[in-house]
Amino acid sequence: MTSDTWGQVRGELLKSIGKNNFSAWIEPITFDALENRTARFFVPTNFIGSWVSQNFGDLILRHLVSAGVGVDRIEFKVDPAAASRADNRNSEPASARADTTAAAAAAPVVEARPARTAALNPAYKFDSFVVGKPNELAHAAARRVAEGEQVSFNPLFLYGGVGLGKTHLMHAIAWELSTRRPDMDILYLSAEQFMYRFVRALREQDTIGFKEMFRSVDVLMVDDVQFIAGKNSTQEEFFHTFNALVEMGKQIVISGDRAPVDMEDLDNRIASRLQCGLVVDLHPTDYELRLGILQQKVDLQRLRTPDLTIAPGVLEFIAHKLSTNVRVLEGAMTRLFAFADLIGSPITMDLTQECLSDILRATDRKVTIDEIMKKTCEHYNIRQSDMIGPSRARNIARPRQMAMYLCKKLTTRSLPEIGRKFGKRDHTTILHGVRRIEELMATDSQIAEDAELLRRMLEA
Ligand code: ADP
Ligand code: MG
């Protein structure tokens, strides 16, 4: 094979994987030699090598074969010259790096077998993560872990609802660590992939290889751990992997959709292990954070279309109207930009309302029980756990009744449904709470004022 053939294959790869992927992953690799039906490539780092081999290995192989190259496998080797350049550089690397497995990193070899590891998204880095009150703690903890200096919080457990940035932060940690500590083996994968690999190891009777691989990493990151809750043999294995790594002083980062104690089917031993580290949650976004994120999207879009114009008030309107899930915000902006581009007009309020009418309608301020509980807790300065807890102390019970009242008035939920949310209380308890507040509102102006204020805040 000649470099010409490789050039031709690169052209094909560009077409099949797109520009972003191409510049992130294929651009950095160079063809070395073809020997014994093995094509060898140089990669700047192990990280790139294993990522390319796992994610594009098959594709590269196929393209080589269709270009007439007599090749059965490909191998990636770190280019010593490039590696030393990587060590010396202190600015952002020109190419992105991602997820690796220890086994693959040691000898990035690919054969015709589908890759199973998730990729790191080059867009998910710290510099594109907008920090606000709801996520500042999670962000600070992630930053600390990403310094890679010493294992400070182990494990770091990040949790929060869908689309609040858990995966983004985890990828950001992996990117940052891989830049600062190229020596480290960082393994990022979803809990689902962990299970898949475990099951495969069982089937292939290679649990020893599985254990060795997972125990040899320096940093293990497992996303969406709730996935393995209730899957008992996988949980068991996960628990042992976890302990082994903690004992060796290796960093672990885990994410989940809720607090460990609230994951019903999660092995208690795992839950208590998670509690031993640092547990931080990503709160639902607030107005300021949403506005910040929207502004960032506009800034990014301006790099592509410099004369993008947005009427005053449009971003504020969207930040106000749309839900807490950042993915929804992103979808809205993507659509808005495409629409404005298509019809070649500035983004006005009218255009926004037309273009996003379905999303706006769907999220048209449906207040949720969770929101009501949260706002009520904030207002009375009590903990959310008090809402569902047993305390009958008046300073807890009264706010709880207020929240029950608001749930009845502002949502369409039934009393039993509300009861379940309030720590499995009976529907008669809810009814009692609602009536109590109604009575008090007539006689106690403070209560009436609180109710009115909360209602306005929730309906805003
Ligand atoms: P999760 O894993 O919590 O469901 P993700 O990390 O996948 O959420 O985030 C959903 C989307 O929102 C991603 O595209 C992510 O980049 C974006 N996003 C979330 N939080 C932020 C933030 N604070 N700043 C910028 N983008 C964010
Ligand atoms: Mg996620």
Side-chain angles (χ1 to χ4, degrees):
M1 172 167 115
T2 63
S3 336
D4 269 5
T5 324
W6 174 231
Q8 183 195 327
V9 169
R10 277 164 54 102
E12 292 303 319
L13 285 167
L14 174 61
K15 273 187 247 157
S16 46
I17 65 176
K19 220 168 151 199
N20 283 350
N21 274 326
F22 185 85
S23 63
W25 306 112
I26 305 301
E27 213 123 70
I29 71 180
T30 48
F31 174 61
D32 173 28
L34 176 70
E35 271 170 18
N36 301 328
R37 302 183 65 84
T38 299
R40 281 209 310 266
F41 295 89
F42 280 130
V43 288
T45 63
N46 265 331
F47 218 64
I48 295 193
S50 55
W51 199 86
V52 172
S53 87
Q54 296 195 24
N55 291 279
F56 298 121
D58 287 351
L59 192 70
I60 296 174
L61 200 59
R62 274 209 303 279
H63 279 304
L64 288 172
V65 170
S66 23
V69 181
V71 60
D72 291 327
R73 45 189 254 138
I74 53 182
E75 265 181 20
F76 298 93
K77 271 198 321 207
V78 172
D79 177 358
S84 68
R85 277 200 304 279
D87 282 346
N88 293 335
R89 107 191 118 192
N90 37 26
S91 58
E92 185 72 6
S95 50
R97 283 175 266 169
D99 152 48
T100 176
T101 71
V109 168
V110 66
E111 295 182 11
R113 160 178 280 182
R116 290 292 171 184
T117 327
L120 286 188
N121 188 329
Y124 293 175
K125 298 197 178 161
F126 280 120
D127 57 12
S128 59
F129 191 81
V130 181
V131 183
K133 214 147 191 270
N135 60 23
E136 65 181 341
L137 269 181
H139 172 260
R143 280 273 191 192
R144 170 66 67 81
V145 167
E147 285 170 6
E149 292 300 325
Q150 62 196 153
V151 177
S152 29
F153 317 122
N154 214 11
L156 170 63
F157 183 71
L158 300 167
Y159 75 90
V162 173
L164 298 183
K166 299 181 295 295
T167 298
H168 189 135
L169 277 182
M170 289 186 94
H171 285 211
I173 294 172
W175 284 117
E176 182 78 15
L177 270 178
S178 71
T179 312
R180 285 177 185 244
R181 299 288 306 267
D183 55 310
M184 277 186 166
D185 274 329
I186 304 157
L187 176 55
Y188 165 89
L189 79 177
S190 66
E192 185 176 5
Q193 288 162 337
F194 181 89
M195 184 182 86
Y196 175 86
R197 290 196 188 185
F198 178 59
V199 170
R200 191 175 63 191
L202 287 178
R203 194 177 58 229
E204 293 175 357
Q205 304 190 337
D206 185 28
T207 48
I208 295 185
F210 177 90
K211 283 181 204 292
E212 274 172 6
M213 200 282 284
F214 275 92
R215 283 161 178 63
S216 68
V217 301
D218 296 306
V219 181
L220 176 65
M221 309 177 83
V222 180
D223 206 350
D224 290 319
V225 74
Q226 72 275 2
F227 184 86
I228 60 166
K231 314 231 162 65
N232 287 333
S233 49
T234 302
Q235 289 198 87
E236 180 80 22
E237 185 55 36
F238 181 72
F239 177 70
H240 293 307
T241 305
F242 195 121
N243 284 341
L245 287 171
V246 168
E247 259 157 46
M248 290 188 279
K250 307 294 188 183
Q251 178 73 54
I252 298 182
V253 184
I254 314 270
S255 83
D257 66 352
R258 66 199 92 157
V261 284
D262 294 332
M263 281 189 212
E264 281 168 15
D265 297 326
L266 190 69
D267 188 327
N268 286 334
R269 295 171 305 170
I270 297 180
S272 57
R273 267 294 192 178
L274 291 175
Q275 297 287 8
C276 288
L278 181 67
V279 178
V280 277
D281 57 340
L282 289 135
H283 297 274
T285 59
D286 58 14
Y287 172 79
E288 286 84 6
L289 178 58
R290 288 198 290 276
L291 195 58
I293 291 170
L294 293 173
Q295 191 60 58
Q296 184 213 42
K297 297 285 161 212
V298 171
D299 293 346
L300 282 176
Q301 182 66 19
R302 284 229 167 89
L303 297 176
R304 268 171 263 160
T305 49
D307 36 53
L308 175 73
T309 39
I310 299 186
V314 166
L315 296 186
E316 288 79 0
F317 170 76
I318 299 173
H320 197 79
K321 284 285 191 180
L322 290 197
S323 74
T324 66
N325 180 337
V326 180
R327 206 166 282 137
V328 174
L329 286 183
E330 288 183 334
M333 292 312 275
T334 303
R335 195 197 296 179
L336 206 53
F337 294 144
F339 197 56
D341 194 40
L342 191 70
I343 63 174
S345 95
I347 298 176
T348 60
M349 200 62 124
D350 282 350
L351 181 134
T352 304
Q353 277 175 341
E354 184 189 340
C355 176
L356 304 181
S357 60
D358 55 334
I359 306 179
L360 291 169
R361 226 178 304 121
T363 57
D364 211 3
R365 287 314 294 160
K366 278 201 214 86
V367 183
T368 65
I369 294 180
D370 289 335
E371 265 178 286
I372 292 173
M373 286 184 166
K374 181 165 176 289
K375 278 271 182 287
T376 312
C377 285
E378 281 168 10
H379 181 75
Y380 289 105
N381 208 3
I382 62 170
R383 285 185 309 233
Q384 293 223 49
S385 55
D386 290 333
M387 273 288 157
I388 54 178
S391 171
R392 289 166 180 240
R394 171 166 312 174
N395 64 335
I396 304 290
R398 195 70 83 222
R400 190 190 291 131
Q401 290 174 330
M402 175 63 81
M404 292 172 179
Y405 165 81
L406 291 165
C407 287
K408 185 73 197 107
K409 295 293 163 188
L410 302 182
T411 75
T412 53
R413 296 312 178 86
S414 67
L415 291 173
E417 275 177 305
I418 298 173
R420 273 198 291 282
K421 281 283 201 172
F422 281 81
K424 304 206 173 93
R425 284 181 159 78
D426 194 75
H427 71 277
T428 53
T429 311
I430 307 300
L431 188 60
H432 173 75
V434 173
R435 295 224 172 110
R436 187 82 191 108
I437 294 296
E438 281 171 345
E439 284 161 20
L440 285 169
M441 281 170 71
T443 55
D444 183 335
S445 63
Q446 184 61 52
I447 295 276
E449 231 172 76
D450 287 351
E452 180 52 28
L453 187 74
L454 280 164
R455 178 205 287 268
R456 256 190 284 134
M457 270 197 304
L458 286 158
E459 282 182 338

